[in-house]
Amino acid sequence: MKILAIESSCDETAAAVVEDGRRVLSNVVASQIEIHRRFGGVVPEIASRNHTLAIDNVVAQALEESGCGKAEIDAVAVTYGAGLLGALLVGVNYAKALAYAWKKPLYAVSHVRGHLAANYIDSDLEPPYLCLLASGGHTALLQVRDYEDVVPLGKSGDDAAGEAFDKVARVLGLPYPGGPEIQKLAKEGKAVYKMPIPVFKSGETARFSYSGLKTFVINLVHGMEQRGETIPRADIAASFQECAVEQLFLGTRHAAESTGARTVAIAGGVSANERLRARLDEWGESTGRRICYPKLRYCTDNAAMIGAAAYFLIRSGAESAGFGLDAKATVAL
Ligand code: KG4
Ligand code: ZN
């Protein structure tokens, strides 16, 4: 089954053709990062306008690179939420129009399910497994009992991990998005600052909190500025990354131990983080667990992950969405 998938929930206009949930025939991402960078973050209205400008070419390119035409495509899939409403609407309306014109079934995919499914691409991973989803909008532990049977275990009560990376980067004068920039700068520094890490008591569900860590860094930097001190940016970046990663690691370990998970996957933009991968790999090796993560290009927003998720959704017997499909700013899972 070949699925043409579209994703426009934030600042990437993306289209892909995916075969049977695991094989990517094409994956085109038009990033708006440069456009939003001067504002220090994504401006929703500008994102929507740029999706409108880019989407036709992005879909055409995805089809061309896949070698597929209308006849070879079995279904159209689109992210309907969660995300920026105006941005989502561009993809949803485009997908509806294409499905109507081409007489193909249309499937609505949740963005979070897409991030999860990124782990199926070029992989033999099958449920059950535990997944840590960490992106700009989500930080959550999910127990994937079957492809369409996903149970939330714990999430952040305040900021998402990616959001903390972005805000800390901003206070250190680094450009958006902050994750890759902090990772780079951290290599030049040492994790000498002790920063807050929430502690779980055994028996408790792991939950995350990033606003305390973020505020700690902001206060640390502002204090140094007020005293006229030079900001040791690399050391702060290294310390922040270490604590941000440690929190993700401790929460994941806690959930894996309490559920008995032998396979642990990570997904979302923050799953690109080298330090997080190394920390989990180390633990996986010492405890005999399998650790899975998507290829870097499938960690951050893309449409291949939406095509992969759509395949497993269709296989589970889900009905096509119909042309009444609407975008949703928030989606349960
Ligand atoms: O999944 P994603 O592309 O979009 C959302 O659904 O939010 O995630 C973007 C987030 C941003 O906050 C970005 O700073 C973070 O992922 N990110 C990283 C890294 N690469 C991207 N965070 C830490 N380390 C990275 N290497
Ligand atoms: Zn995302």
Side-chain angles (χ1 to χ4, degrees), residues 7 9-10 82 111-112 115 133 135-138 268-269 299-302 305:
E7 150 70 41
S9 67
C10 192
H111 186 76
V112 165
H115 276 302
L133 170 72
S135 67
H138 296 89
C299 288
T300 44
D301 291 349
N302 65 88
M305 68 184 196

Side-chain angles (χ1 to χ4, degrees), residues 21-186:
R22 297 191 189 262
R23 209 163 84 82
V24 176
L25 304 183
S26 65
N27 181 42
V28 178
V29 181
S31 175
Q32 301 178 14
I33 283 177
E34 292 305 326
I35 298 168
H36 297 280
R37 194 162 262 170
R38 66 191 146 117
F39 304 106
V42 178
V43 183
E45 186 53 32
I46 294 177
S48 317
R49 288 180 198 189
N50 282 284
H51 284 310
T52 307
L53 294 175
I55 196 156
D56 208 25
N57 284 333
V58 167
V59 172
Q61 197 185 331
L63 283 166
E64 192 186 320
E65 287 179 14
S66 73
C68 295
K70 176 181 158 185
E72 287 79 29
I73 297 295
D74 298 295
V76 177
V78 65
T79 309
Y80 74 103
L84 304 169
L85 206 51
L88 286 161
L89 276 170
V90 178
V92 166
N93 286 327
Y94 193 96
K96 279 204 262 189
L98 191 69
Y100 180 76
W102 281 14
K103 299 187 172 60
K104 306 284 178 187
L106 173 69
Y107 289 91
V109 176
S110 132
H111 186 76
V112 165
R113 298 280 180 141
H115 276 302
L116 277 179
N119 273 294
Y120 301 134
I121 298 171
D122 298 333
S123 161
D124 61 359
L125 174 66
E126 286 182 11
Y129 61 92
L130 174 76
C131 186
L132 166 71
L133 170 72
S135 67
H138 296 89
T139 307
L141 285 158
L142 304 166
Q143 192 178 14
V144 185
R145 300 200 291 203
D146 205 343
Y147 290 102
E148 295 306 316
D149 181 9
V150 182
V151 180
L153 293 180
K155 58 178 185 172
S156 174
D158 42 57
D159 296 355
E163 197 181 343
F165 270 92
D166 294 338
K167 293 202 171 132
V168 165
R170 200 166 173 173
V171 81
L172 291 176
L174 298 167
Y176 171 84
E181 300 289 332
I182 290 206
Q183 175 174 298
K184 203 161 90 195
L185 185 60

Side-chain angles (χ1 to χ4, degrees), residues 264-297:
V264 176
I266 53 173
V270 182
S271 71
N273 189 271
E274 288 169 4
R275 186 66 196 115
L276 175 64
R277 290 176 172 218
R279 191 79 178 89
L280 286 167
D281 276 342
E282 229 172 65
W283 168 69
E285 219 160 278
S286 67
T287 60
R289 284 186 171 84
R290 178 181 178 192
I291 310 293
C292 302
Y293 27 71
K295 286 185 178 157
L296 286 179
R297 62 179 169 282

